[in-house]
Amino acid sequence: MSTPVRDPAALPRLGWTLLALVLLWPLLRLTDFRPAALFEAGNLQAMGHFLGGFLPPETAPEFLAMLARATVETLAMATAGIALSMLLAVPLGLLMTRSLSISRLGPGRGGWVGQILRGLARGVLAVLRGVPELVWALLFVRVFGLGAAAGVLALGITYGGMLGKVYGEILESTDARPARILLEAGSGRLAALCYGLLPNAAQELVSYTVYRWECAVRASVVMGFVGAGGLGQLMDQSMKMLNGGEAASILATFLVLVLAADGLSGFLRRRLA
Amino acid sequence: MRAGISLGALLAVALLLAAVGASFAFLDMPLGALFTGSAANEAADFVKRFFPPDTSVDFLAKVAWAALETLAISLLSTLLAVLLAAGLALPAAGRQGWLAGQVARFSLNLLRSVPELVWATLMVLAAGLGPFAGTLALALHTTGVLGRLFAEALENTPAAPAEALVSSGAPALATFLYGTLPLVAPQWLAYALYRWEMNIRMAAILGFVGAGGLGAQLYYSLSLFHEAEASTVILAMLMMAVVVDGVSAWLRRASA
Amino acid sequence: MGFSLEGVRLTHANGFHALRGVDLHVAAGERVALIGASGAGKTTLLRVLAASLRPTGGRVRLLGGEPWVDSPRVLRRLRSRIGLVHQSPPIPPRQRVVTAVLAGRLGQWPLWKALASLVLPVDPEGAARELARLDMAERLYARCDRLSGGQLQRVALARVLYQQPELLLADEPVSAMDPALSELTVALLNEEAVRRGVTLVASLHAVDLALRHFPRVVGVKEGAIAFDLPAAEVTEALLRDLYAAEGALPLAGEMPGTPAPGLPPLRCA
Ligand SMILES: Nc1ncnc2c1ncn2[C@@H]1O[C@H](COP(=O)(O)OP(=O)(O)OP(=O)(O)O)[C@@H](O)[C@H]1O
Ligand SMILES: [Mg+2]
């Protein structure tokens, strides 16, 4: 019997494997990949000392009071940030929704004003969420000084971009016929939104917002590292002073907070479903 | 009252508004000051200092190098995370017994709950300043995220192909590679690419705590009040994010 | 060596009694067809014979070993000597045919060989040889999700042929094939068993195929053995009783041989 044809995938596979290996080398060099560094005496000592300080976690009353304040501040930052982001997201998201366009009803492809506005909204949203919240926070700390205000504004801007885009997408993907019928019957955009789109989309919109709130809790912790208040700022200070006990308490608080936010958001979203 | 709006919903809305109000009150935000004329002028001045971006060849070269480093951090950390996540997802999906499942799931939750930046501060201690610490930090957090997603994908995968191989005597690793991996690979790849898109953004920031990449440059520039340099770095970050999104979308389409 | 089952009982997790005391002794090199109505327990019985389902009672001896008594290592080695063609081919859709066939020997290969074969198939000739017997050689490097149902079933068959098991089990191996191809495929299984002197047990929905090709026919009904006879002694009355619930006899073509005197000739249902 004849020998089977050669494997047609053999050459491409060989090529890709070689390419991957060739690329891996500069990756390792660029990232200064030295696992041995983890075991160097100096690093081991620093880490050991720090981790050794973890036990016992700091429980002095005045520190705990500070911790509690920072925790509440973190939660407040997340909540205020999301509230602020809605101010951006709702109008921009609605602007992007084609099912609410009146000019598209008539014959033709719709007014060019509407199209330009929609494109503009899309672009603004892309820039808002394109710059990470931490960079915004770093910039705002320069303007407003250290503290939660910078964090809230940064969250508001980035999450405004994300929520606006997703709101637009959700509204676009819901059944547009009820809204269209209302618009054709001469009702306004707001009425078409409330009676035509929201009944079908509300649950998904709320669910996504809750999910984003959960992300915002994490993000507001992190933003503390650039001086925007909350648990992160406390953690940053403790780390800089290599105070293991405080860091352990903060980390534990932080884990509980994140898991609780996770749980609450999951619970709310299940209730909505 | 319109049908569908219950007392519970009204209560929820009231609670929500109260929470938002309390948040603003607690934070004592100078919201009023934000919209005064002097604040607007100050802000405009601040924004003006970012233009035009610094385009001197020296600085561009520096930024390009830092961008390359950022790219390397994001790629290598995602790669490491995929390997680690695969290793943890198998027990987490309950394939190695109950105890191993609980242990794996707990580790994944722990890895995931600690944000990249916190990992980075820890890794800077453990491995010294530089991109290696950033790579480790991103890899650890991403392992937690991907591990959970990978395990979910495994749980939703038909078991028949793997069972057939087991009943023909194949060892565990071979069974996974021949019977399960081909089924989950597309989804795992999609998740990994999605995380890579996130990691390129994170890698650009880790420099704030000394973990290499573009972030370090941004931090210096802003600390020294060189806003023109900072805007170049921010533009570089944006560009990299866009390019990575494109490459990732292309890879996803090509593999589908 | 063959196998023997003594009083084998199997209760599924939901409490359903799928096997209720099965006694079956088959010597090495025998060829046995399992027939019975849908839900009778054929698949369950074959999976017990493949040492992949553990019975809840009774004694199982396969190829001279006792799968559920020995250590896991011994069980694994025993399983690598048993090949089961599954009722619906358990092959990942995105896998290539060559890989799916070569996977038959994973139980015998060292790990390095299994790993290497993922990158570059180590024995494409072997896979092509088995596929050629099923008229599938030209699809060696095709992806399995681009095959028809009957073609996929043949790939699954080729995998088990490539495994070269000492106990060859097949669970409705031709259910997705046309009558002519079914005939050829069942003949091929029998020819393979005779040539290599291995034991063959196949469950078939088409009674005539079973009677034409297998010397021994076992009827399964409601988790027990209804009859266990040489093919020539299977009467229509027995068959009608076996398939009482289904109304008509499932046939692929004509009933073979001379029917017992006094019986009207059977027609395709
Ligand atoms: N995993 C399971 N859990 C519960 N009951 C099962 C399970 N697998 C099979 N059964 C039941 O056991 C009985 C025997 O099933 P089996 O698959 O052995 O039948 P079969 O003779 O192969 O039928 P068919 O000809 O339709 O393939 C059926 O009633 C089936 O519903
Ligand atoms: Mg069956």
Side-chain angles (χ1 to χ4, degrees), chain C residues 12-19 36-47 53 87 171-172 203 205 220 223 246:
Chain C
H12 280 297
N14 61 358
F16 184 85
H17 299 288
L19 296 180
S38 179
K42 304 180 294 293
T43 299
T44 309
L45 183 56
L46 280 167
R47 293 192 58 198
L53 272 185
Q87 189 164 0
D171 192 4
E172 283 165 38
S203 77
H205 253 311
V220 184
E246 295 190 353

Side-chain angles (χ1 to χ4, degrees), chain C residues 37-249:
Chain C
S38 179
K42 304 180 294 293
T43 299
T44 309
L45 183 56
L46 280 167
R47 293 192 58 198
V48 167
L49 290 176
S52 78
L53 272 185
R54 181 177 191 154
T56 30
R59 191 149 168 260
V60 184
R61 290 188 64 80
L62 304 169
L63 301 173
E66 288 197 54
W68 305 108
V69 174
D70 299 323
S71 71
R73 272 190 53 139
V74 180
L75 173 61
R76 201 165 76 68
R77 209 166 315 140
L78 178 66
R79 280 172 166 171
S80 73
R81 296 161 60 202
I82 305 175
L84 169 62
V85 183
H86 290 256
Q87 189 164 0
S88 43
I91 294 176
R94 298 167 62 91
Q95 203 162 50
R96 296 196 299 168
V97 168
V98 62
T99 316
V101 173
L102 293 181
R105 286 212 192 146
L106 285 179
Q108 299 149 42
W109 281 353
L111 192 58
W112 66 263
K113 204 165 169 183
L115 291 178
S117 188
L118 272 182
V119 184
L120 206 66
V122 288
D123 184 19
E125 293 82 11
R129 206 176 309 124
E130 303 303 342
L131 285 167
R133 299 170 68 183
L134 293 153
D135 198 22
M136 283 281 294
E138 76 282 8
R139 306 308 289 270
L140 184 59
Y141 293 113
R143 246 171 64 164
C144 287
D145 53 1
R146 314 239 161 94
L147 300 180
S148 74
Q151 288 172 331
L152 193 62
Q153 213 163 33
R154 281 184 277 167
V155 172
L157 256 163
R159 167 194 281 194
V160 174
L161 291 178
Y162 182 71
Q163 186 187 347
Q164 302 205 323
E166 292 162 52
L167 174 55
L168 181 51
L169 307 169
D171 192 4
E172 283 165 38
V174 295
S175 58
M177 300 183 196
D178 64 62
L181 192 57
S182 303
E183 197 77 37
L184 283 173
T185 308
V186 173
L188 174 76
L189 276 174
N190 277 277
E191 173 204 305
E192 168 84 1
V194 171
R195 189 172 59 84
R196 295 192 31 245
V198 300
T199 315
L200 169 66
V201 182
S203 77
L204 289 168
H205 253 311
V207 176
D208 52 331
L209 273 179
L211 296 180
R212 255 199 312 273
H213 290 279
F214 290 80
R216 181 175 167 188
V217 176
V218 171
V220 184
K221 188 176 182 184
E222 286 166 12
I225 304 244
F227 60 80
D228 179 358
L229 294 168
E233 291 172 30
V234 178
T235 65
E236 201 196 336
L238 281 174
L239 293 176
R240 290 219 182 279
D241 187 40
L242 193 65
Y243 290 102
E246 295 190 353
L249 286 189

